[in-house]
Amino acid sequence: MRPLSQTLHKSEGKASMSQSLSDEIKQEVDRRRTFAIISHPDAGKTTLTEKLLLFGGAIRLAGSVKARKASRHATSDWMEIEKQRGISVTSSVMQFDYLNHRVNILDTPGHQDFSEDTYRTLTAADSAVMLIDVAKGVEAQTIKLFQVCRKRGIPIFTFINKLDREGKSPFELMEELEQVLGIRSVPMNWPIGMGRELCGVYDRMNSQVELFQGNDHSTIEVRKVDDYNDSIIREMAGDYLTDQLISDLELLDVAGDPFDYEKVQAGELTPIFFGSAVNNFGVQTFLENFLKLAPKPTSRNSTSGPIEPSNEKFSGYVFKIQANMNPAHRDRIAFLRICSGRFERGMAVKHVRNKKEIKLSQPQQFLAQDRDIVETAYPGDIIGLFDPGIFRIGDSLSQGSEVEFDELPTFSPEIFSKVTVKNALKHKQYQKGLDQLTEEGTIQVFYSTGNFDETILGVVGHLQFEVFEHRMKAEYGVDIQLHRMTFQFARWIVDDQIDPSKFRINSTMVKDKKGNYVALFENEYAMRTAIDKNPNSKFLETAP
Ligand code: G4P
């Protein structure tokens, strides 16, 4: 038996170690900011992301948007198809340090056909930056993405971009946010002029002006002022713009919403920043204010109740899976959002669904193609795990007790195609590709229940079919043919007694990967009729 004194000493040591671990986790959580930028394509998301990365020293390439133009792809784009189309198809993760903050930006595809992927990625963010083009205002894709953020109740910060161009007036944009999105706003800064007349912004919170200098607006000067009546502004902006600024701000002071930290945190009030990403104007002050106001990682709901990030036991969940991010390596990566504890390379954790212990040996952090091996990571961080085929979207990993995080949202496919292989000899590769790409979660696969052995794919956006076809060829060497079907709705049927042969008129019955019955309908009328005729069945929009 060990002497009592030694035992005491050991447990004391453990207590102080544990104390320092929890302090360390708390400190790291406090400085983390994990957010996504949401916008309609072309609002300037790539440009803003690159400017933010530049501030963080994560990329050294000034004017990389121009570089993008030359090479037709941005730092955050991976796939060949993205280069060809110049759009960001898949979501990536970028990390950098700024003013003692560890910043994680979740990049999301702007194209609406990939909204499903975006929605899932948004679950991994603690706040969102909504980017709006000053001339276009709130656009269709902004509305959809905003709604997803709203549902989660995360804080939303607004950056009105392209102020160097003529656009809607700031008051009109505030009105639009309220009318279209139903959110009140509080301008943190206010433009002095716009378009060709743009001369700067007045920072309402810090009483300072940021002014464009030089004929080509190439330098930016920041001057402290007493308030918006300060003569410095008049000297630099002239009478006309200064009078306009004063009258706008007087109106805002009286009629605008006051800044309310609690409301911002609850996602009920959005702070607005005006700027121009391409000119780097207003970007740095936006970043600094954003880092002050944006929330650190908070608790996450699980089957065992809320899990605090400061909990010493590591936990996290997979929100995205992507195969062949680097075609040279033919790998498959599961993106994991850390929710609690400290991640250490090589640690053993429980794969909760499989009830197996696994070792996390080669985790990666991302800055697009440059991948670093991660030694340690904390709540709010995203790590990429090499996936030998054991992960599914929504899987939880945890240390100690089994923690399962709330299910990720899934979406009902709306477009369907039969898929066939052109060369029957390639069937094995086809099956492998089909399995891997459907596991990534953007394509759902169904099998016919009739006499013919048919494979049917369902997606939310048409472009996903194109990506599927392209990747099957590029990554698996398989030529496929897609035959568009006329169905528009899928409903998972919960009923032991269901008779598949009843679903014939403008509909068909198929099975999903797990063998669940799914009815596909050509139109809403056919679906309504089926629901009315089968009162004992449940028709679910997504898999049970
Ligand atoms: P996205 O990722 O949201 O789709 O937008 P992206 O950053 O690619 O920007 C879309 C276009 O808007 C780009 O022009 C970009 O240069 C421009 N842009 C971004 N920020 C600003 C800004 O503050 N002011 C102005 N005037 N333009 C801005 P493009 O012509 O499509 O591409 P490129 O020729 O510049 O590469």
Side-chain angles (χ1 to χ4, degrees):
M1 219 168 93
R2 222 178 272 135
L4 189 60
S5 61
Q6 197 181 331
T7 316
L8 271 178
H9 182 73
K10 274 217 144 192
S11 64
E12 268 167 16
K14 204 172 165 192
S16 72
M17 239 177 70
S18 164
Q19 183 57 38
S20 67
L21 174 62
S22 70
D23 284 352
E24 177 189 320
I25 295 172
K26 206 182 150 310
Q27 241 177 29
E28 291 296 335
V29 168
D30 282 350
R31 74 188 193 99
R32 271 171 173 68
R33 300 289 182 271
T34 302
F35 67 97
I37 304 180
I38 57 171
S39 66
H40 195 85
D42 258 6
K45 186 155 64 86
T46 312
T47 314
L48 180 67
T49 306
E50 288 187 350
K51 298 293 174 191
L52 295 177
L53 291 175
L54 275 169
F55 283 120
I59 47 175
R60 256 148 284 149
L61 217 60
S64 50
V65 179
K66 282 213 184 80
R68 171 196 178 206
K69 198 175 173 187
S71 66
R72 288 321 306 165
H73 78 284
T75 317
S76 55
D77 288 349
W78 264 309
M79 289 162 45
E80 195 63 29
I81 196 157
E82 293 182 305
K83 289 184 209 167
Q84 287 169 8
R85 289 174 172 267
I87 55 164
S88 175
V89 175
T90 53
S91 312
S92 53
V93 182
M94 286 152 279
Q95 189 179 62
F96 64 90
D97 285 332
Y98 188 75
L99 293 181
N100 198 33
H101 285 290
R102 174 65 51 100
V103 183
N104 293 305
I105 307 182
L106 299 166
D107 190 18
T108 52
H111 198 286
Q112 60 171 10
D113 284 7
F114 292 88
S115 39
E116 198 179 344
D117 196 23
T118 303
Y119 296 152
R120 286 207 203 93
T121 299
L122 287 176
T123 69
D126 298 315
S127 61
V129 172
M130 177 165 68
L131 188 67
I132 289 177
D133 182 323
V134 69
K136 296 192 176 145
V138 177
E139 296 176 85
Q141 189 63 4
T142 327
I143 301 175
K144 279 195 193 169
L145 295 167
F146 171 85
Q147 281 160 351
V148 177
C149 296
R150 192 103 215 241
K151 242 188 213 163
R152 287 197 55 225
I154 57 174
I156 300 163
F157 298 78
T158 304
F159 187 91
I160 309 268
N161 192 28
K162 307 196 186 180
L163 229 64
D164 56 309
R165 286 198 184 153
E166 296 301 331
K168 301 186 179 188
S169 87
F171 285 117
E172 200 179 340
L173 289 160
M174 287 171 71
E175 174 92 9
E176 209 170 302
L177 291 181
E178 171 143 29
Q179 296 299 325
V180 182
L181 301 177
I183 190 163
R184 307 278 303 177
S185 56
V186 52
M188 307 298 283
N189 63 16
W190 197 257
I192 309 172
M194 198 186 274
R196 266 199 261 159
E197 285 192 331
L198 176 70
C199 114
V201 285
Y202 175 79
D203 183 337
R204 294 180 78 207
M205 299 298 139
N206 304 308
S207 295
Q208 60 186 25
V209 278
E210 244 180 277
L211 295 155
F212 263 159
Q213 298 291 296
N215 287 340
D216 58 350
H217 285 183
S218 56
T219 50
I220 295 162
E221 191 182 335
V222 180
R223 299 270 300 260
K224 266 279 178 226
V225 289
D226 290 335
D227 60 20
Y228 49 76
N229 289 302
D230 198 310
S231 58
I232 293 179
I233 304 177
R234 198 168 288 276
E235 271 164 37
M236 308 198 73
D239 286 338
Y240 175 72
L241 293 180
T242 308
D243 290 344
Q244 178 73 44
L245 175 77
I246 292 172
S247 92
D248 284 356
L249 290 177
E250 278 174 353
L251 183 62
L252 264 190
D253 284 350
V254 178
D257 283 34
F259 180 80
D260 181 329
Y261 186 76
E262 303 294 318
K263 282 189 179 166
V264 171
Q265 299 307 309
E268 290 162 12
L269 181 71
T270 179
I272 303 187
F273 298 84
F274 292 89
S276 165
V278 82
N279 295 301
N280 220 349
F281 187 64
V283 177
Q284 190 164 6
T285 40
F286 160 71
L287 176 62
E288 287 172 13
N289 282 300
F290 170 76
L291 293 177
K292 270 189 226 151
L293 299 173
K296 61 187 182 187
T298 50
S299 69
R300 294 272 169 161
N301 287 336
S302 80
T303 45
S304 6
I307 303 292
E308 291 299 326
S310 56
N311 191 322
E312 286 179 23
K313 301 280 186 214
F314 167 85
S315 68
Y317 69 92
V318 174
F319 63 91
K320 178 182 171 67
I321 291 177
Q322 193 171 335
N324 301 335
M325 289 204 328
N326 182 346
H329 293 125
R330 313 273 302 158
D331 53 7
R332 192 170 123 121
I333 302 275
F335 288 73
L336 181 110
R337 149 93 197 203
I338 301 177
C339 299
S340 68
R342 178 175 69 186
F343 167 85
E344 280 165 68
R345 177 145 87 106
M347 79 194 297
V349 297
K350 189 79 164 272
H351 185 310
V352 179
R353 179 175 53 82
N354 282 349
K355 305 209 177 307
K356 281 193 181 137
E357 197 153 271
I358 55 168
K359 218 169 172 189
L360 305 179
S361 41
Q362 272 199 317
Q364 320 242 316
Q365 229 146 23
F366 299 93
L367 175 62
Q369 268 138 349
D370 302 326
R371 305 190 202 168
D372 291 330
I373 297 285
V374 191
E375 295 295 337
T376 49
Y378 299 89
D381 289 344
I382 311 297
I383 50 173
L385 303 170
F386 275 110
D387 177 16
I390 57 170
F391 294 122
R392 276 194 215 149
I393 286 171
D395 275 349
S396 300
L397 301 182
S398 71
Q399 214 182 14
S401 64
E402 288 185 6
V403 166
E404 257 188 305
F405 290 96
D406 279 1
E407 288 270 313
L408 286 177
T410 49
F411 297 87
S412 211
E414 291 163 14
I415 308 174
F416 302 86
S417 280
K418 249 186 283 183
V419 55
T420 50
V421 195
K422 282 189 187 158
N423 180 351
L425 293 174
K426 294 266 186 178
H427 203 267
K428 214 169 143 193
Q429 288 95 314
Y430 158 72
Q431 199 54 50
K432 189 174 168 203
L434 186 67
D435 284 347
Q436 290 198 341
L437 297 180
T438 51
E439 285 280 298
E440 285 181 27
T442 45
I443 287 222
Q444 299 189 42
V445 63
F446 304 100
Y447 300 98
S448 61
T449 54
N451 297 336
F452 301 104
D453 225 1
E454 285 174 347
T455 304
I456 296 163
L457 301 178
V459 295
V460 178
H462 186 262
L463 199 52
Q464 284 166 343
F465 278 144
E466 279 184 42
V467 173
F468 181 79
E469 198 171 353
H470 176 89
R471 289 186 63 185
M472 274 301 223
K473 171 104 181 118
E475 295 166 21
Y476 302 92
V478 181
D479 280 311
I480 56 160
Q481 217 159 11
L482 292 165
H483 314 265
R484 186 71 182 269
M485 300 171 96
T486 47
F487 304 112
Q488 292 185 51
F489 299 94
R491 289 294 178 269
W492 273 256
I493 312 274
V494 184
D495 182 357
D496 296 341
Q497 315 290 319
I498 200 80
D499 175 5
S501 64
K502 276 212 263 176
F503 290 81
R504 282 219 188 101
I505 302 164
N506 296 336
S507 62
T508 187
M509 186 68 93
V510 295
K511 282 188 173 183
D512 70 6
K513 257 183 158 178
K514 290 186 192 160
N516 297 312
Y517 277 118
V518 184
L520 307 183
F521 299 100
E522 284 186 8
N523 51 50
E524 194 149 1
Y525 178 74
M527 182 167 72
R528 290 270 141 246
T529 313
I531 292 172
D532 289 345
K533 281 193 178 161
N534 295 278
N536 297 326
S537 310
K538 274 196 204 151
F539 290 74
L540 308 177
E541 277 191 38
T542 54

